[in-house]
Amino acid sequence: MGMCESLMVSDELKDQIKVNRDIEKTLEKKKTTMLEQSVLLIGPGESGKSTVMKQIRAMSGTYTKSELQERKILILRNLFEFSEMLLDYSREHYFEITEEEIKKYIVMCEELKLSVIQDGQMKPELADTLKTFWNHKAIQEAYGNRNKFHLTDSAGYFFENIDRIKMPGFEPNNQDIVHIRVPTSGVVTADVILKNIKLCVADCGGQRSERKKWYHYFDDSHAVLFVAAISEFDQRLVEDPDVNRMKEAITLFWSVFNGKFFQKSAVILFLNKIDIFREKVKTVQIKDFFPKFEGPNTVEEGSKFFRRQFREGIHASFRKRMYCHETCAISDQVQIIINTVIDTVVQENLKDTGMI
Ligand SMILES: Nc1nc2c(ncn2[C@@H]2O[C@H](COP(=O)(O)OP(=O)(O)OP(=O)(O)O)[C@@H](O)[C@H]2O)c(=O)[nH]1
Ligand SMILES: [Mg+2]
């Protein structure tokens, strides 16, 4: 996560941290009753909104035993879903895999499905088959093509951790939890207390079919946290394979901040999945997808370019209330940025009420 971390402590962030300390002092002096701030998490599907929500949750406390058990079952469900997708892709593309192996892996998928429904425990033999499956050449070839069939970014993580997951007393840790993929349907709300502030967070499903539900939450929020995956500049939408994911994110951002809604809200943009972006720019040219991009194909130039793209199409009144961060939501380091964001939100709203 080297670059991820170095980007996090930018000069902008340092300035922000200083401002935040001042705000904390102001709040301390005022000894007000607990401040309530509502935060709306929006952005396209799979950009990392729920992952940010999980990190906020991790900052505010621990999970109960039954919540951990639920997450353990979700991990097995993910392993089942990812295995099926990888196997289907290998078969469709005639990668080298025998009929006998295919039959064995179909049974493996069935057994995984059963362990999800039953006790959430993976039998040792099943774990061994999963490991052989993951190391199979055809499956690795399919995994190498994951961008083409929308396999979730975190699929590899669970296969790599089977030895730990199969243990009878296995309890998911925060890293496991942030890698779980469950698309959000509708809007999931949660109240969290952080830094003596009650945050009412609404995490919205981001796929096209989910977006009409967002409008019920428009205009009431103190802050809008828009999450876009910067790594997706070369990928296509699941909902419409003709549309580039990054272009969709930018147009969506422009349409939300067009001047009609969120007149008083702080606008926070997370250019997320910077870890994948860092790897990708080594081999994929931004210019091939965004001909206007002229700089060297680096993380720094790429981030600057995309920041500008998001900024340039929004209503002028939002630009001075817009804060942008490059993030890696699966890294616990993102919690530092979230802390900063909370302070920014409070600062913006205290300005509005004339308290500072
Ligand atoms: N490598 C990497 N993976 C990430 C990052 N952020 C999220 N992910 C993974 O990306 C997948 C999608 O993340 P979610 O948080 O479920 O996405 P979402 O925006 O809530 O998606 P919808 O609910 O469908 O709108 C999950 O498997 C996450 O573990 C990141 O910064 N880096
Ligand atoms: Mg979600």
Side-chain angles (χ1 to χ4, degrees):
M1 305 286 149
M3 180 60 71
C4 217
E5 282 155 28
S6 66
L7 275 168
M8 281 170 190
V9 194
S10 61
D11 286 348
E12 196 181 323
L13 194 54
K14 279 186 205 149
D15 289 348
Q16 197 59 55
I17 289 168
K18 191 191 164 305
V19 174
N20 298 336
R21 280 201 200 109
D22 297 343
I23 296 166
E24 272 166 17
K25 278 187 208 146
T26 313
L27 283 174
E28 178 63 22
K29 268 191 225 142
K30 294 201 181 288
K31 292 264 183 245
T32 48
T33 50
M34 192 181 284
L35 196 63
E36 256 189 54
Q37 299 284 282
S38 51
V39 180
L40 186 64
L41 266 168
I42 55 172
E46 243 187 313
S47 58
K49 301 175 291 299
S50 300
T51 313
V52 171
M53 177 80 149
K54 287 175 195 171
Q55 293 286 13
I56 295 176
R57 169 78 211 273
M59 289 161 77
S60 70
T62 50
Y63 289 89
T64 63
K65 286 261 175 213
S66 72
E67 285 171 329
L68 287 176
Q69 177 63 15
E70 276 168 28
R71 271 123 190 113
K72 180 177 166 180
I73 290 174
L74 289 178
I75 291 173
L76 294 187
R77 199 176 94 186
N78 269 184
L79 273 169
F80 158 68
E81 291 161 346
F82 302 155
S83 300
E84 262 201 345
M85 288 170 89
L86 284 162
L87 187 58
D88 286 351
Y89 191 83
S90 299
R91 293 174 74 185
E92 279 159 24
H93 292 79
Y94 305 102
F95 294 159
E96 235 174 89
I97 184 162
T98 65
E99 278 306 314
E100 207 178 308
E101 284 170 326
I102 291 174
K103 275 190 205 138
K104 183 169 88 177
Y105 294 140
I106 291 176
V107 173
M108 177 195 84
C109 289
E110 282 305 315
E111 283 181 12
L112 255 176
K113 199 166 154 190
L114 268 180
S115 56
V116 172
I117 302 165
Q118 289 169 347
D119 52 354
Q121 187 54 54
M122 194 194 293
K123 295 195 177 63
E125 316 82 66
L126 177 57
D128 290 343
T129 319
L130 260 172
K131 278 165 69 179
T132 326
F133 169 80
W134 175 241
N135 290 316
H136 195 291
K137 200 166 157 268
I139 298 305
Q140 281 297 312
E141 203 172 342
Y143 184 66
N145 282 294
R146 60 189 175 281
N147 279 354
K148 297 186 188 145
F149 63 106
H150 308 299
L151 184 75
T152 293
D153 292 315
S154 53
Y157 174 87
F158 291 122
F159 285 106
E160 298 292 349
N161 280 281
I162 285 171
D163 278 336
R164 203 164 45 82
I165 296 168
K166 73 174 183 193
M167 301 308 280
F170 167 68
E171 275 193 352
N173 57 32
N174 195 44
Q175 268 304 288
D176 300 326
I177 291 171
V178 294
H179 279 88
I180 295 171
R181 168 66 179 153
V182 180
T184 308
S185 169
V187 178
V188 179
T189 57
D191 292 347
V192 210
I193 294 169
L194 275 183
K195 308 169 83 151
N196 210 26
I197 296 163
K198 183 172 166 192
L199 289 180
C200 312
V201 191
D203 171 22
C204 302
Q207 293 212 341
R208 281 185 177 178
S209 56
E210 296 291 331
R211 292 180 203 156
K212 49 187 174 304
K213 299 168 198 160
W214 297 3
Y215 292 95
H216 301 294
Y217 292 81
F218 273 25
D219 246 10
D220 275 345
S221 302
H222 292 107
V224 187
L225 177 41
F226 190 102
V227 184
I230 189 170
S231 58
E232 293 181 345
F233 69 88
D234 66 333
Q235 285 172 251
R236 292 171 180 279
L237 277 191
V238 179
E239 306 93 305
D240 182 352
D242 288 335
V243 179
N244 174 288
R245 285 197 188 204
M246 194 62 173
K247 285 185 184 150
E248 169 93 350
I250 294 168
T251 344
L252 182 61
F253 188 76
W254 291 351
S255 69
V256 171
F257 302 108
N258 63 6
K260 258 193 244 156
F261 304 103
F262 305 119
Q263 291 300 334
K264 290 186 174 165
S265 318
V267 179
I268 323 282
L269 171 65
F270 275 8
L271 292 177
N272 193 36
K273 304 198 182 183
I274 195 81
D275 54 325
I276 303 178
F277 184 65
R278 187 175 69 236
E279 285 307 308
K280 202 170 261 186
V281 291
K282 290 179 187 163
T283 53
V284 185
Q285 295 299 313
I286 300 171
K287 201 174 172 44
D288 290 347
F289 299 87
F290 288 81
K292 273 204 270 174
F293 178 74
E294 280 174 348
N297 211 61
T298 60
V299 178
E300 291 76 10
E301 289 305 312
S303 315
K304 258 195 248 165
F305 171 76
F306 286 118
R307 273 182 185 228
R308 273 200 309 273
Q309 295 290 302
F310 278 95
R311 266 180 83 85
E312 80 183 13
I314 60 172
H315 197 272
S317 61
F318 290 106
R319 290 201 197 115
K320 55 182 184 303
R321 281 182 281 128
M322 178 178 160
Y323 303 83
C324 181
H325 301 273
E326 284 81 13
T327 54
C328 172
I330 50 165
S331 156
D332 294 351
Q333 293 287 320
V334 80
Q335 295 180 6
I336 300 171
I337 297 188
I338 294 172
N339 255 321
T340 310
V341 165
I342 296 169
D343 293 329
T344 307
V345 172
V346 173
Q347 176 197 359
E348 280 295 332
N349 288 297
L350 290 184
K351 255 195 238 160
D352 275 348
T353 55
M355 280 171 80
I356 58 170

